[in-house]
Amino acid sequence: MKLSDYKKSPKEFIQGVRSDGVRVGLSTAFAPWISAFFREKHGGTWFGQGRMWAFDRSKINGAFAASLAENLPSGILYDVGQFAQKLRLALASPDPDLFAPFLDVQIFPVEGGDFVCLSRFDPLLVSTLQGLQGTFLRNRNAWRVKVALPRLLEVLETQAGIRREHIFLSDTEIVLEQHASMGEGDRPGVQVGGMVPERVGAGDAEGENAMLSVIATPMKELWINEADLAKAVQAYGLHGEYAYQEVGVRHLLRYSSCLLADDMGLGKSRQAVVAASLVTGPGAVLVVCPASLRINWEREIHIIQPDAKVVICGDGEAWSQADWLIVNYERLGAVVQAMSDGDVRFRVMLCDEAHYLKEPDSTRTRNAFLLSKHIERRFLLTATPVLNRESELHTLLRLSGHPIGAIPLSDFLSDFAGSPELRKALSERVSEWMLRRRKDVLASLKGKRHEFKYVDLATGERDQYLAAVSDNTQTAIVKIGKIRQLLERLKASWLIDTITSLGDDDKSIIFCEYTESVAYLADEFAKAGIQTVTFTGSNSGTRKQKAIDTFMSDPAVKVFIGTTKAAGVGLNLVAANYVFFASLPWTAAAKRQAEDRAYRNGQKRSVTVLMPVISGTIDEQVVLLLQHKESIEQDLLDDSVQDPGLVEEQMAAKLFNAA
């Protein structure tokens, strides 16, 4: 019996209605057509923090209720009267903090006058700024407005429901630089056809092609207290097989800001905690990391400093009493505001998985830059500083205050991007700033083997795939997602058969790209009598940690199934000696990062990475795309430059075979 064969009792479609006075939030039962219906037909946006769809209040009316009733599939419960009653109650008792605090609205004075308003996307806020004759900054989720600040704040509150306490108002003046980007060139892509979406982002056609720039404090070389470092080396075992970790701590201490880019599993977090503990001065240590890694960081800190007061942002504890404050990237704006208000101060900022800051226009990157102006010591940690393009390294150089980061992006790309020779020159120029070691520094670590496994589909399964490919009623990006999710499910039988054939002491990790696939695979493995644990971004922190601990300690649990995004970074899963990718992630760096959850310090066995590829599908195109992206990364980070002609020949051969 398949998962789809199970019958569930019908649920009321509209499960909850809330409002902040100018917006309406709808919590609904899940259905695959919801996104297109709400987003494209009624201008809704998904509000992840509240697990609801948000709409301009004016759009929720009789026409909306009728349209919903007309489009609902049979078997779904929908009572218009109950919906109307819930709506009246929500509008009668609005919650002004329902949406606005999560829009992360930031206002910056612009050099020469005017203001720039940045936020997460919100249709009501966009229309409000349009009403102020704002200019949309193309390629940036930002608006430039030419009104006095009191008028801007008044309109935001009365028309968009965004009060002063919901806004970060910066006293740091910014400049607008012309934005430069690299062309796609001959970069391979995934082609499936599909309708072309309409351009979104009002004002884009006539907007300014500019990027926002906040300059970090310049990087400088610092004095190291050798006596304190020597004590730490002995106290924390940074010698013998782990002598390379002393080198990493020394690297972090030598410069006001630098990058530690060791391979996954070599102990970047341990080195950073030791280095931060050796930095003296007032203030706490700020650890910025993905949300899934906060508990890991708390544990790592307490290994080095058992008595330290560690506070995780969002747990309700007072920040002012913290020795260490751990915050995920999405909450970084609250730290910027608290520091601006004088509530907290920091002597070190430690950015784990620093490639999360690769996009210069993202909110998280802007917040990191705002903090960098007030925190001299900035440790950047990532094993994947370059995921797709050379420009990503430019952002990290700017954040560190490296001289090359001060070069305008267009000049940086001209000087260091586009060819293996230029990328190699960049690698040499940043060698003192970036320390990178491979896993060969660990003599005890066994090898890692990769193998593609080509899988054939049964006739009925092939028909499902061809039907999905032939559906041109969806945008290409939506279509690719649905096809890749289908392919993940079609690999279930192969995954079960392969893992069943492994030895009794073997354990496996399966990475999926879609949360729904995790649940589906777990159900299919359960039917086959194989115990699993699951790990997705929607799980609570407690549930995530229990999944890790159970997989690591319970011999009966053979399989760990998670999404690459949630489980592919920061976790220690060395109980596994097999890693499977139900779908390959979009970057080679993310793939390597994920597979090294098993291949890291503490692993006593060789690790086998198996990648099932279904012949004649977009799986093969994704492989080509990853090979192209990996060639860019190798030029910047490896000792040898891959022959671009060879890459081109390999790509052409695979495309020919797939045709």
Side-chain angles (χ1 to χ4, degrees):
M1 179 178 291
K2 296 183 179 179
L3 186 65
S4 58
D5 295 331
Y6 287 97
K7 303 297 184 183
K8 296 182 179 180
S9 300
K11 295 181 179 180
E12 177 65 38
F13 181 69
I14 302 294
Q15 299 182 349
V17 182
R18 301 181 68 187
S19 176
D20 66 350
V22 293
R23 299 172 186 81
V24 171
L26 300 183
S27 299
T28 70
F30 173 76
W33 51 268
I34 287 179
S35 180
F37 178 76
F38 280 168
R39 195 186 308 274
E40 298 173 11
K41 289 193 174 183
H42 296 285
T45 55
W46 175 247
F47 176 55
Q49 289 84 353
R51 307 295 299 169
M52 66 180 73
W53 286 90
F55 301 86
D56 185 333
R57 173 179 173 174
S58 64
K59 294 183 179 296
I60 306 301
N61 49 30
F64 175 88
S67 175
L68 188 57
E70 181 182 343
N71 285 275
L72 280 176
S74 59
I76 295 181
L77 300 180
Y78 172 57
D79 187 313
V80 176
Q82 287 187 15
F83 175 33
Q85 177 64 17
K86 291 177 181 179
L87 180 60
R88 282 193 293 269
L89 291 174
L91 294 176
S93 303
D95 178 2
D97 293 328
L98 180 60
F99 297 108
F102 302 98
L103 294 179
D104 197 16
V105 178
Q106 304 177 42
I107 297 176
F108 295 84
V110 178
E111 186 178 45
D114 306 337
F115 291 91
V116 164
C117 182
L118 307 98
S119 73
R120 296 182 180 178
F121 177 71
D122 177 67
L124 186 57
L125 179 56
V126 168
S127 64
T128 300
L129 294 170
Q130 286 177 321
L132 290 173
Q133 304 302 310
T135 302
F136 185 68
L137 299 182
R138 195 171 55 191
N139 302 315
R140 298 294 174 267
N141 294 324
W143 290 80
R144 184 174 187 171
V145 290
K146 300 178 181 293
V147 297
L149 182 61
R151 172 62 177 163
L152 174 59
L153 295 176
E154 176 190 2
V155 171
L156 288 178
E157 179 172 353
T158 57
Q159 298 184 21
I162 300 168
R163 302 180 178 183
R164 172 63 185 86
E165 59 265 29
H166 300 145
I167 300 170
F168 171 71
L169 183 57
S170 175
D171 57 1
T172 301
E173 193 173 69
I174 62 173
V175 296
L176 294 176
E177 301 178 29
Q178 285 304 112
H179 175 64
S181 61
M182 294 189 64
E184 294 297 298
D186 294 327
R187 177 185 177 193
V190 177
Q191 303 295 329
V192 298
M195 68 178 186
V196 179
E198 295 181 2
R199 182 179 295 275
V200 296
D204 184 67
E206 299 178 357
E208 298 179 17
N209 188 18
M211 64 180 286
L212 308 177
S213 178
V214 179
I215 305 301
T217 55
M219 170 184 166
K220 58 185 177 181
E221 190 169 353
L222 302 172
W223 173 77
I224 297 177
N225 188 320
E226 294 291 347
D228 287 351
L229 178 57
K231 292 178 183 178
V233 168
Q234 295 303 315
Y236 307 126
L238 311 184
H239 49 71
E241 184 180 12
Y242 300 103
Y244 70 90
Q245 293 189 349
E246 177 189 354
V247 178
V249 173
R250 183 181 296 278
H251 176 70
L252 292 171
L253 292 174
R254 182 171 298 281
Y255 300 100
S256 58
S257 183
C258 58
L259 173 67
L260 184 60
D262 286 351
D263 264 356
M264 303 81 161
L266 292 184
K268 291 188 294 297
S269 56
R270 173 69 58 86
Q271 297 171 68
V273 171
V274 172
S277 68
L278 294 175
V279 175
T280 59
V285 177
L286 175 65
V287 177
V288 189
C289 65
S292 62
L293 302 185
R294 292 176 300 176
I295 295 177
N296 287 0
W297 271 102
E298 182 182 29
R299 291 183 174 188
E300 194 68 52
I301 292 165
H302 278 144
I303 290 173
I304 302 300
Q305 293 188 333
D307 299 326
K309 176 67 173 177
V310 180
V311 174
I312 297 177
C313 179
D315 284 358
E317 294 191 64
W319 297 1
S320 58
Q321 303 301 316
D323 299 315
W324 298 73
L325 176 64
I326 303 174
V327 59
N328 51 296
Y329 282 98
E330 292 76 13
R331 290 179 174 264
L332 201 52
V335 180
V336 174
Q337 187 69 67
M339 195 167 190
S340 178
D341 293 342
D343 296 336
V344 292
R345 60 189 305 187
F346 303 102
R347 68 180 189 274
V348 178
M349 178 171 70
L350 192 161
C351 297
D352 187 26
E353 307 297 345
H355 56 272
Y356 274 51
L357 303 172
K358 67 189 180 73
E359 298 295 344
D361 62 320
S362 69
T363 299
R364 63 180 61 160
T365 303
R366 290 193 301 271
N367 287 331
F369 271 91
L370 289 169
L371 289 171
S372 72
K373 290 182 64 66
H374 305 285
I375 307 174
E376 181 182 46
R377 307 302 296 269
R378 305 179 297 280
F379 300 165
L380 308 182
L381 311 180
T382 176
T384 54
V386 179
L387 290 173
N388 296 303
R389 299 174 176 85
E390 299 89 333
S391 58
E392 295 165 4
L393 197 61
H394 182 258
T395 303
L396 298 183
L397 288 164
R398 288 176 57 228
L399 184 60
S400 281
H402 193 286
I404 293 181
I407 300 174
L409 181 57
S410 57
D411 294 339
F412 174 86
L413 295 176
S414 176
D415 292 344
F416 298 115
S419 74
E421 294 75 19
L422 293 177
R423 290 192 286 264
K424 202 65 178 178
L426 173 60
S427 179
E428 294 171 356
R429 288 284 300 276
V430 302
S431 59
E432 84 290 349
W433 166 77
M434 178 174 69
L435 178 64
R436 181 173 177 83
R437 278 81 59 87
R438 296 296 192 183
K439 282 199 172 70
D440 54 16
V441 299
L442 279 177
S444 62
L445 195 61
K446 305 298 182 182
K448 180 170 61 170
R449 182 174 65 89
H450 295 81
E451 187 174 353
F452 286 103
K453 293 289 187 178
Y454 284 85
V455 181
D456 289 327
L457 294 177
T459 301
E461 295 174 333
R462 177 70 63 177
D463 290 341
Q464 291 182 56
Y465 174 78
L466 293 176
V469 172
S470 302
D471 181 5
N472 288 326
T473 63
Q474 301 167 326
T475 62
I477 190 66
V478 171
K479 186 174 173 181
I480 288 173
K482 290 189 174 182
I483 291 173
R484 276 167 51 89
Q485 188 173 340
L486 171 64
L487 291 176
E488 287 186 342
R489 295 188 174 211
L490 294 179
K491 293 169 185 173
S493 296
W494 182 89
L495 288 167
I496 292 171
D497 291 344
T498 302
I499 290 175
T500 302
S501 69
L502 300 179
D504 291 339
D505 61 342
D506 291 324
K507 287 199 173 193
S508 304
I509 305 170
I510 300 175
F511 287 109
C512 303
E513 291 300 295
Y514 302 93
T515 302
E516 295 82 0
S517 298
V518 174
Y520 178 83
L521 290 177
D523 186 80
E524 294 298 305
F525 272 90
K527 295 173 188 175
I530 301 173
Q531 293 188 42
T532 68
V533 293
T534 59
F535 191 109
T536 68
S538 62
N539 297 150
S540 66
T542 301
R543 181 176 174 181
K544 290 176 180 176
Q545 193 60 50
K546 183 178 180 181
I548 297 169
D549 295 341
T550 301
F551 180 71
M552 291 291 289
S553 61
D554 189 343
V557 177
K558 297 296 184 182
V559 183
F560 180 103
I561 310 174
T563 58
T564 309
K565 183 176 182 180
V569 295
L571 306 187
N572 185 340
L573 300 174
V574 294
N577 58 325
Y578 281 86
V579 178
F580 296 82
F581 286 94
S583 283
L584 289 169
W586 287 115
T587 70
K591 168 185 163 295
R592 188 171 62 252
Q593 177 108 295
E595 66 193 33
D596 281 0
R597 300 310 96 212
Y599 186 65
R600 59 193 297 109
N601 188 23
Q603 178 61 263
K604 303 302 181 184
R605 301 183 286 181
S606 61
V607 174
T608 300
V609 181
L610 297 177
M611 297 159 284
V613 176
I614 298 181
S615 302
T617 70
I618 65 171
D619 271 356
E620 295 178 321
Q621 299 176 48
V622 174
V623 171
L624 291 170
L625 181 62
L626 288 183
Q627 290 175 340
H628 171 77
K629 291 181 177 180
E630 193 168 29
S631 68
I632 295 177
E633 182 189 19
Q634 288 174 341
D635 290 341
L636 288 172
L637 303 180
D638 282 358
D639 293 330
S640 60
V641 177
Q642 188 174 358
D643 179 8
L646 179 60
V647 174
E648 185 177 358
E649 292 176 4
Q650 293 172 341
M651 289 169 57
K654 284 187 174 293
L655 283 171
F656 178 81
N657 292 333

